[in-house]
Amino acid sequence: MPHHRPDTASQKAAPEGLVRSLGLFGVLFLTLSVATPVSSLFVIVPGMLQVAGTGAVWAVLLAALVCVATAYVYAELASNWPVAGGEYVMVARTIGPMAGFVMLGVNVFNNLLFPPVAGLGLSAVLAAIWPGLPQVPLALAVVIGATLVSLLQIKINAWITGAFLAVELVAAVLVVWFGFGHAVRDVGAFLAAPVMLDSAATGLIPATAASIGVAASIAIFALNGYGAAVYFGEEMEDAPNGIARAIFWAMIATLLVEGLPILAVLVGAPDLIALFNHDDPFGLVVRHYGGGASADLLAIGVAVAIVNAVIACILACARFFYGTARDRCWGRPVDQLLTAIHPRLGSPWISTLLVGGAGAVCCFVPLEQLLVLSGTGLIAIYGGIALAAIAGRLGGQTARAPFRMPLYPLAPLVTLSALGYIVWLNWLDPGEGRTGLLMTGAQILLSVAYYRLVLKPRGNWEVYVPVATAR
């Protein structure tokens, strides 16, 4: 395996660096805001309950194993390269430049499309409180407002997202309070004899292994986001030694914030059939026991979670594009603009405006089309870093990593095995699943073409690692 080292000339010619002002909690707040466990709980998890019923408990446990394994992969690689570019830097440094650029290309789509997707879904969340909210103007307001906030100093943004996290956690606490406070069934039954809806959705039958497997694949997506800590690595003090802790704390918090409410609604729901058939099972339980005011507070908490996730995603994505421009991906005029650091705020301000502007334009694209365009990029990203962890060990590139995963190569092999199963499940679904895989395949092919036709003719393309974090 080639070991790509930054040369001295590129180090000297590097643009102005980001300001190191974040401690562990600052990075943790930002990472949890990107992971957005509260909005995942209310937007993604209902699909698990519809598919697997109480088998969702087993699904979360299986997904948690995969997430722990992937967190170890992220922790080792991020401690070695806590660089704003994120996953593509890890892959380029271990597997090679073309593989790294493929990760970069897939992340372009995933990073740019999340803010408009989240913004366009906000009106549905608030429909019970403010019916008739216009979808596109609301999404535009959220994306533009989040972009302006993201221009501020990263330390200020860490406190803003931390405050938002405190508000949105009220939604999860409400579910836990009303669910466990009115428990009518035992958790043990979910493990010993899980049940799910029958084909007519009018009765309960034993949950099947296949349904639990599908729900587990959904849960992996719902729990994703803890690896986003690496995007803030260049603004973290002592990042090589601290980034792994941020990743693990974010993962544990995400598991708790999503796992406990799932258990709570399952033990407290007065009617499981109604719960599994409802588009908002958490709101159903809270409204049943707490009334309309509690349900409205719940909806506000979820809305805050979505806005917070948009802010954090724009912050992370701006740093991603700063990294790509520093690595000379787009040509001299664009690269120089995107690496510009605001002299007073210390933020990559033009990259931030680019991400926000692209998100605002995408708000005019139908939500269904944006979801198709986003594909199943997480599969490619997780697969890429799992292979990078193996390649880094074999080639010696991660030999000096401050954090080393235990029981290697168990963690990357667990991740790759789970991803293989998810690919198979998605391919069996001729609708969204297969379309998402094909779209991700198209993103990979476009990235390969750009690398071969644009980057490679310029000479050797190498990713840059700041001197303070180079290993």
Side-chain angles (χ1 to χ4, degrees):
M1 296 284 179
H3 189 171
H4 304 278
R5 297 184 181 275
D7 58 18
T8 306
S10 65
Q11 296 279 10
K12 290 179 180 177
E16 184 180 356
L18 297 165
V19 179
R20 293 190 182 276
S21 59
L22 294 175
L24 174 62
F25 284 103
V27 175
L28 181 59
F29 292 158
L30 291 164
T31 304
L32 281 174
S33 298
V34 175
T36 183
V38 172
S39 57
S40 293
L41 181 69
F42 288 86
V43 176
I44 301 175
V45 169
M48 292 169 52
L49 299 178
Q50 291 167 0
V51 167
T54 62
V57 176
W58 274 114
V60 170
L61 290 174
L62 292 172
L65 289 175
V66 177
C67 289
V68 169
T70 309
Y72 274 112
V73 171
Y74 262 113
E76 179 167 314
L77 293 173
S79 73
N80 206 63
W81 298 293
V83 180
E87 295 90 352
Y88 85 81
V89 175
M90 305 168 180
V91 174
R93 288 264 161 176
T94 52
I95 301 176
M98 188 170 76
F101 195 82
V102 166
M103 292 295 99
L104 187 157
V106 172
N107 255 338
V108 165
F109 285 89
N110 282 270
N111 290 340
L112 284 180
L113 293 180
F114 177 81
V117 165
L120 289 169
L122 192 57
S123 60
V125 172
L126 294 172
I129 306 174
W130 293 293
L133 275 174
Q135 184 187 44
V136 174
L138 180 62
L140 269 175
V142 169
V143 172
I144 293 172
T147 302
L148 295 177
V149 171
S150 300
L151 290 170
L152 300 175
Q153 290 178 346
I154 191 67
K155 197 167 186 177
I156 294 175
N157 270 292
W159 286 110
I160 291 173
T161 54
F164 273 47
L165 275 172
V167 174
E168 68 184 71
L169 284 176
V170 172
V173 170
L174 279 173
V175 176
V176 172
W177 176 266
F178 287 116
F180 285 122
H182 300 85
V184 294
R185 57 187 64 84
D186 183 34
V187 174
F190 306 151
L191 298 174
V195 294
M196 57 184 277
L197 287 174
D198 60 20
S199 57
T202 57
L204 297 175
I205 59 174
T208 64
S211 67
I212 292 174
V214 172
S217 69
I218 297 172
I220 291 170
F221 284 90
L223 296 168
N224 170 58
Y226 42 84
V230 69
Y231 291 106
F232 306 106
E234 290 185 43
E235 290 158 289
M236 184 181 191
E237 297 166 355
D238 193 22
N241 294 309
I243 198 82
R245 288 198 298 275
I247 290 170
F248 285 122
W249 279 114
M251 179 200 63
I252 292 168
T254 300
L255 288 173
L256 290 175
V257 171
E258 296 190 36
L260 289 176
I262 292 172
L263 284 177
V265 295
L266 291 176
V267 301
D271 182 353
L272 284 178
I273 296 175
L275 183 80
F276 300 154
N277 276 303
H278 206 278
D279 290 335
D280 182 15
F282 301 99
L284 178 70
V285 170
V286 171
R287 187 176 293 276
H288 178 81
Y289 292 119
S294 295
D296 290 347
L297 184 60
L298 187 74
I300 291 172
V302 178
V304 169
I306 291 174
V307 173
N308 196 25
V310 173
I311 294 172
C313 183
I314 291 174
L315 285 167
C317 190
R319 280 139 185 87
F320 164 78
F321 273 101
Y322 166 85
T324 65
R326 185 174 58 189
D327 291 330
R328 304 181 302 280
C329 292
W330 317 117
R332 187 178 298 276
V334 176
D335 290 340
Q336 288 177 329
L337 288 172
L338 295 184
T339 52
I341 301 295
H342 195 281
R344 185 167 58 87
L345 301 177
S347 60
W349 66 283
I350 296 181
S351 287
T352 303
L353 292 176
L354 167 72
V355 175
V361 170
C362 288
C363 286
F364 294 97
V365 179
L367 180 58
E368 295 76 14
Q369 292 184 23
L370 289 178
L371 291 172
V372 170
L373 286 172
S374 62
T376 51
L378 182 60
I379 296 174
I381 298 300
Y382 275 12
I385 63 167
L387 292 173
I390 295 172
R393 287 287 188 111
L394 293 176
Q397 294 94 331
T398 56
R400 296 172 56 205
F403 177 86
R404 301 271 284 178
M405 71 181 85
L407 302 177
Y408 170 85
L410 182 61
L413 291 180
V414 168
T415 299
L416 290 171
S417 299
L419 293 176
Y421 179 61
I422 292 171
V423 168
W424 179 67
L425 289 175
N426 276 274
W427 188 258
L428 292 179
D429 176 14
E432 294 180 3
R434 193 173 299 175
T435 302
L437 289 175
L438 293 173
M439 186 55 63
T440 300
Q443 295 169 11
I444 291 172
L445 290 175
L446 281 173
S447 302
V448 170
Y450 186 92
Y451 175 80
R452 288 192 175 279
L453 299 176
V454 178
L455 287 186
K456 197 170 183 180
R458 296 180 188 167
N460 292 328
W461 179 70
E462 287 189 319
V463 296
Y464 171 82
V465 175
V467 174
T469 56
R471 305 202 69 81

